[in-house]
Amino acid sequence: MLQVKDQIGSFYYYPSLGFHKAAGGFGGIRILSRPRIPVPFPDPAGDYTVLIGDWYKSNHTVLQAHLDGGKKLPFPDGVLINGRGPGGASFNVEQGKTYRLRISNVGLQNSLNFRIQNHRLTLVEVEGTHTLQTTYSSIDLHLGQSCSVLFTADQPAQDYYIVASTRFTNPVLTTTATLRYSNSAGPVSGPPPGGPTIQIDWSLNQARSIRTNLTASGPRPNPQGSYHYGLINTTRTIRLANSAGQVNGKQRYAVNSVSFVLPDTPLKLADYFKIGGVFRPGSISDNPYGGGIYLDTSVLNADYRAFVEIVFENTENIIQSWHLNGYSFFVVGMDGGQWTAASRNGYNLRDAVARCTTQVYPKSWTAIYVALDNVGIWNLRSEYWARQYLGQQLYLRVYTDSTSLRDEYPIPKNALLCGRAAGRSTRPL
């Protein structure tokens, strides 16, 4: 069962364990606002899901074996739009009408830039938050991110290129789809429009311009700005630094020097049944200490209802993308260089966007605020899928000693019990 009563917006689903994502199995999710709750723009004439992502000719089993052998993931072979290569996908529009595109970067390795030839894109929603309606010529989407844009078919009636291309790569991989006017006088013309390639400042400035529309409703009638996150005192700061290195001659990735290894029993089952020896709460530090990479099942303990600051620190020269299961968080700041306490002076404490996936630029940091209002053990991971697979992830254990059903639903009666939890009973009712 999936309950979506307190969420709206554009997301996508995919298998999040192991290397399954490379085999596909993903698709868009659109959660509509309930009737009578106002949406801050008129109903569009059409609503399209656009899944963009890098792609490998090699089978997912070959890629997985490559990683299991201790090697890095190779450079992708191309980029797809809705599973199709150059010119393969098309979207039909009528002249003068406005359309919504829900775009998700479902790839394994690369940030992508999205654009439509001769058309402007107005950002209206990011992962469940209605945004200030800023218009862009193109939009960067980092790994795992989703957004909604509006565009109007206001150009001369013909076909136009839709383009997705890799960011921060050399070479740049590009693919196209077709925007087809119903009264089109001819096919696409000219070369596909170019976009930003390796420019970091361009992307950082765009990211900072994405703000919450404070007067718009979210899933409920009250305005999104009625939750004043900037007035809440944080109770804890967690600094998480990613790193890459070798362990026993094989490529691994880590957070605060811990490279995650899967336990023999699902963490939530081990916690519920109080099975010892599966994980140690607090097995990863709140701060990077700069030591060598080592293997462990990293679980970070946190108190239910705490309001915490998490700083992602990226000293590497490639971009990172982080996703937190079970939560949306406020992206209050991002900048180049080393984060310090003084960096808080530049935080956006008024209208930062709330989302579930954020980028961290090379040699940079990103800071988020998150209200830990969801009991459970939640995966915090790199969306760069080889890095996730080889250890750049951890679990956040949001804990309360309350057994109230108000705080957490009971274990399902038909829960699959495996590992050291096999043979136990769930609950009588």
Side-chain angles (χ1 to χ4, degrees):
M1 183 182 75
L2 176 68
Q3 191 174 49
V4 295
K5 69 172 186 177
D6 257 350
Q7 212 156 18
I8 53 137
S10 309
F11 307 89
Y12 76 104
Y13 61 86
Y14 58 98
S16 60
L17 294 177
F19 210 62
H20 299 157
K21 185 182 180 186
F26 43 74
I29 297 176
R30 55 179 73 169
I31 307 174
L32 307 179
S33 294
R34 289 177 293 171
R36 296 190 297 280
I37 293 185
V39 174
F41 48 87
D43 281 347
D47 191 333
Y48 291 113
T49 294
V50 185
L51 305 179
I52 59 177
D54 49 27
W55 177 77
Y56 292 84
K57 292 178 181 176
S58 300
N59 195 343
H60 68 97
T61 54
V62 174
L63 296 175
Q64 184 172 359
H66 201 76
L67 296 175
D68 290 341
K71 300 174 183 173
K72 295 182 179 181
L73 204 62
F75 193 65
D77 295 301
V79 177
L80 302 183
I81 298 177
N82 282 358
R84 306 286 183 91
S90 63
F91 301 86
N92 298 322
V93 297
E94 295 183 27
Q95 194 156 28
K97 294 187 175 179
T98 297
Y99 295 84
R100 180 175 186 167
L101 301 180
R102 300 174 188 262
I103 315 164
S104 297
N105 183 344
V106 301
L108 299 180
Q109 186 164 329
N110 290 111
S111 299
L112 297 174
N113 180 266
F114 180 89
R115 52 200 181 272
I116 303 178
Q117 184 182 27
N118 295 358
H119 292 72
R120 304 279 286 173
L121 307 174
T122 300
L123 186 70
V124 293
E125 177 258 332
V126 167
E127 293 165 21
T129 298
H130 286 130
T131 61
L132 290 181
Q133 294 179 17
T134 307
T135 299
Y136 303 102
S137 57
S138 68
I139 286 189
D140 275 356
L141 271 178
H142 307 282
L143 286 167
Q145 293 186 342
S146 300
C147 74
S148 287
V149 298
L150 298 179
F151 75 93
T152 301
D154 56 3
Q155 297 298 302
Q158 64 172 69
D159 293 354
Y160 294 90
Y161 285 112
I162 297 172
V163 184
S165 59
T166 56
R167 291 287 267 121
F168 321 117
T169 64
N170 183 16
V172 175
L173 298 178
T174 302
T175 195
T176 61
T178 304
L179 182 70
R180 185 157 287 138
Y181 279 58
S182 59
N183 56 341
S184 175
V188 292
S189 60
T197 53
I198 59 171
Q199 303 89 336
I200 292 173
D201 283 354
W202 187 99
S203 189
L204 175 62
N205 290 333
Q206 182 178 80
R208 286 173 170 162
S209 73
I210 299 174
R211 306 290 185 94
T212 294
N213 182 337
L214 297 178
T215 59
S217 298
R220 299 184 179 190
N222 51 308
Q224 294 178 139
S226 57
Y227 182 77
H228 300 285
Y229 70 92
L231 300 179
I232 305 171
N233 291 326
T234 56
T235 55
R236 181 178 176 188
T237 296
I238 300 166
R239 295 168 51 215
L240 300 175
N242 51 271
S243 59
Q246 299 267 319
V247 177
N248 300 326
K250 292 189 173 184
Q251 181 66 46
R252 295 294 299 187
Y253 301 95
V255 187
N256 289 2
S257 300
V258 188
S259 186
F260 183 86
V261 287
L262 282 170
D264 60 10
T265 304
L267 295 173
K268 186 62 184 171
L269 292 181
D271 206 30
Y272 178 78
F273 291 114
K274 297 181 171 53
I275 303 170
V278 177
F279 72 93
R280 295 178 296 110
S283 49
I284 179 172
S285 168
D286 277 19
N287 297 285
Y289 72 95
I293 294 175
Y294 63 95
L295 307 179
D296 201 353
T297 301
S298 33
V299 177
L300 195 63
N301 244 13
D303 294 330
Y304 178 47
R305 298 197 184 282
F307 191 76
V308 302
E309 172 188 42
I310 300 177
V311 182
F312 298 106
E313 301 183 8
N314 179 19
T315 59
E316 298 183 66
N317 59 5
I318 64 168
I319 190 168
Q320 306 289 326
S321 185
W322 288 91
H323 175 82
L324 175 58
N325 275 2
Y327 285 94
S328 282
F329 47 73
F330 296 95
V331 185
V332 293
M334 54 175 67
D335 206 353
Q338 178 69 41
W339 180 89
T340 66
S343 303
R344 297 186 179 115
N345 296 331
Y347 281 6
N348 175 3
L349 299 181
R350 182 174 178 270
D351 60 356
V353 72
R355 64 186 315 162
C356 54
T357 310
T358 189
Q359 72 273 28
V360 191
Y361 291 100
K363 308 282 187 185
S364 301
W365 57 266
T366 294
I368 66 172
Y369 282 179
V370 55
L372 299 180
D373 55 5
N374 196 2
V375 173
I377 302 184
W378 303 102
N379 193 212
L380 176 57
R381 63 173 174 268
S382 172
E383 285 292 302
Y384 188 135
W385 216 240
R387 296 182 75 107
Q388 173 272 150
Y389 182 72
L390 293 179
Q392 191 178 319
Q393 58 169 305
L394 60 102
Y395 278 82
L396 185 65
R397 178 178 181 255
V398 180
Y399 177 76
T400 176
D401 55 12
S402 165
T403 55
S404 169
L405 298 186
R406 183 191 62 191
D407 296 330
E408 186 178 26
Y409 287 142
I411 186 171
K413 286 192 294 183
N414 61 347
L416 298 175
L417 304 181
C418 56
R420 299 188 216 178
R424 298 183 182 236
S425 57
T426 53
R427 58 189 174 95
L429 301 176

